Amino acid sequence: MWKSWSSIKLWKRIAAGLVLGIIVGILLSGAPNVVETWIRPFGTLFLNFIKMLIVPLVFLSLVVGVTSLKDPARMGRIGIKTIAWYLVTTAVAVVIGLVFGLVFQPGAGVEKVAAAATKAAALPSVVDTFLNLIPANPVGALASGNILQIIVFAIVVGIAINFVGQKAEPLERVIAAGAEVMYKMTAGVMELAPLGVFALMAWVAAKYGLSILLPLAKIIFCVYVACILHAVITYGFILKMHGLSPMQFFRGIVDAQMVAFTTTSSAGTLPVTMRCTQDNLGVSVGVSSFVLPLGATINMDGTAIYEAIAALFVAQVFGVTLGGGDYLMIVIVATLASIGAAGVPGAGLIMLTMVLTTIGLPLEGLAIVAGIDRVLDMARTTINVTGDAFVSCLVAKSERELNQTVYDAAPVA
Ligand code: ASP
């Protein structure tokens, strides 16, 4: 039986877990404790397994990436291209969010709720952010899982290996072997994905019955449709312009999308995203191991869409009229909030406090969306991860680091 189950394509098994999870969750919605005690732990088990891979995978594969790219100028070029694409797509995402919030008025008719005042999150200063990129203690960075610091350390180690040359070859080989082991482990952990996705979906479906979702159906609709349109139109159009088939792209990353949808963590999905882009879309290790961890930390198009829609939602609920300057402010702050948000569940909601305070909107608005944040987080995390994979393909293509044959054969059915 195991043999026939494992011969089914992984994405189909994960999709089956997802659908079954929703059904079981709805059936058990009267007994949330049963789901919490007996089903959710399988989701946590899967999550812990993929989290286990993140730090060693990012570090080892990025060192391998840098040593394989060799030329530091090339690294710089890849860095600039990546950040430019990240900023452009995030700005487009915020604008799409604003349009949806204005056209569909998700806050109209929603009741205000009184809530305890929440403290606003703040972005750290620009100088601190830059200084914090350098890990004073690299072991500490690895131990605490600080992805940006790990990226910097891995790049420095990789460049140093290149400069040392022959004498550093044993180390280079050990690191390359370590990366291979991590890839193997990722593939193994993915076998748990159908079970993990099933458990997480059952938990979400049991927790959020229709009675909680219906009053906020409009904001859920806006966030989901805006996210889908951003992926299909913005990414699809740009991919086409670069001679890459959008269909093949979406086929190649469907595993990562499903894991992102259920775990609501782009950092947690990272091992799967790396695997999909390298194995299914032909992106080189050098590009994917640099672009994706960076993206999981700073590039969040779904979160940007959400921040814009949620800000307008709160303004509409509280009857606050916004002017042209406010909209411009939303574009800027929502972009910054999405960059500042960590790739963990619920981070976008915390950053929303910053957006609301900057625009002068009541923080109580947060309480209304907080109840259904998980459901919105599922959509935005999926787009966050899709956006990272999308940029990795563009950068790889422009650097001749994309294997077109693999991309064109992205497996699905
Ligand atoms: N959960 C999202 C992510 O990991 C961040 C957010 O809450 O918007 O990408």
Side-chain angles (χ1 to χ4, degrees):
M1 192 172 120
W2 170 250
K3 205 160 171 38
S4 54
W5 169 249
S6 60
S7 66
I8 303 172
K9 286 262 183 239
L10 185 62
W11 77 270
K12 288 187 180 167
R13 283 182 278 148
I14 302 179
L18 204 143
V19 175
L20 211 65
I22 296 178
I23 297 172
V24 170
I26 292 174
L27 291 178
L28 290 177
S29 56
N33 287 344
V34 174
V35 181
E36 186 75 42
T37 320
W38 297 102
I39 300 184
R40 193 181 174 196
F42 290 103
T44 313
L45 177 88
F46 169 61
L47 260 178
N48 286 353
F49 263 120
I50 38 178
K51 281 188 193 156
M52 171 184 90
L53 304 171
I54 300 172
V55 169
L57 179 66
V58 169
F59 177 73
L60 296 169
S61 64
L62 187 47
V63 176
V64 172
V66 176
T67 51
S68 69
L69 290 175
K70 297 274 184 250
D71 177 9
R74 181 126 177 257
M75 289 278 317
R77 219 173 44 229
I78 291 178
I80 291 170
K81 280 184 193 172
T82 305
I83 290 171
W85 273 118
Y86 281 164
L87 283 177
V88 170
T89 48
T90 303
V92 174
V94 182
V95 174
I96 293 181
L98 277 181
V99 171
F100 266 75
L102 285 171
V103 173
F104 293 100
Q105 300 276 319
V110 174
E111 267 180 57
K112 289 181 213 166
V113 289
T118 326
K119 256 184 88 121
L123 278 182
S125 81
V126 177
V127 177
D128 284 348
T129 309
F130 275 107
L131 291 181
N132 278 336
L133 287 177
I134 320 292
N137 173 357
V139 179
L142 292 165
S144 62
N146 183 325
I147 300 283
L148 288 181
Q149 291 190 343
I150 296 174
I151 292 177
V152 172
F153 184 57
I155 292 178
V156 175
V157 171
I159 293 176
I161 289 179
N162 287 344
F163 275 116
V164 172
Q166 210 189 352
K167 270 193 180 160
E169 260 170 24
L171 178 63
E172 190 178 338
R173 274 207 302 276
V174 167
I175 291 180
E180 284 303 325
V181 172
M182 296 316 298
Y183 296 143
K184 201 61 179 176
M185 281 164 74
T186 309
V189 169
M190 280 310 285
E191 291 300 317
L192 282 178
L195 176 68
V197 164
F198 161 78
L200 290 170
M201 256 349 266
W203 170 67
V204 173
K207 191 166 168 192
Y208 301 93
L210 277 186
S211 55
I212 300 180
L213 300 182
L214 270 186
L216 296 171
K218 258 174 143 182
I219 187 171
I220 299 175
F221 168 86
C222 282
V223 170
Y224 272 72
V225 178
C227 280
I228 294 171
L229 284 186
H230 183 55
V232 174
I233 298 181
T234 316
Y235 300 160
F237 178 72
I238 300 176
L239 282 169
K240 252 205 142 55
M241 268 174 38
H242 287 78
L244 293 168
S245 150
M247 209 48 206
Q248 286 302 108
F249 171 73
F250 289 114
R251 279 181 176 178
I253 54 151
V254 65
D255 289 356
Q257 286 181 319
M258 282 190 285
V259 172
F261 186 72
T262 38
T263 61
T264 65
S265 169
S266 12
T269 312
L270 196 49
V272 191
T273 325
M274 288 174 77
R275 186 163 173 261
C276 285
T277 50
Q278 289 170 18
D279 293 358
N280 300 346
L281 297 172
V283 177
S284 72
V285 173
V287 169
S288 82
S289 58
F290 172 72
V291 175
L292 296 176
L294 188 66
T297 341
I298 66 163
N299 180 50
M300 305 213 174
D301 291 2
T303 304
I305 291 175
Y306 159 82
E307 302 291 339
I309 294 180
L312 292 190
F313 170 84
V314 173
Q316 288 154 8
V317 172
F318 287 86
V320 181
T321 323
L322 299 173
D326 294 323
Y327 293 118
L328 186 66
M329 206 57 198
I330 294 181
V331 174
I332 298 170
V333 194
T335 305
L336 289 176
S338 74
I339 296 173
V344 297
L349 182 72
I350 297 167
M351 293 321 267
L352 183 60
T353 54
M354 188 188 84
V355 178
L356 296 182
T357 338
T358 318
I359 318 293
L361 291 168
L363 274 182
E364 285 78 10
L366 205 78
I368 312 175
V369 269
I372 53 147
D373 189 61
R374 177 84 189 196
V375 178
L376 302 177
D377 204 355
M378 298 195 313
R380 57 182 198 252
T381 309
T382 308
I383 297 309
N384 292 346
V385 165
T386 309
D388 300 340
F390 158 78
V391 171
S392 78
C393 289
L394 290 185
V395 173
K397 170 94 186 180
S398 73
E399 287 292 319
R400 294 180 201 283
E401 291 279 331
L402 184 125
N403 184 332
Q404 192 78 39
T405 322
V406 175
Y407 185 99
D408 289 335
V412 98

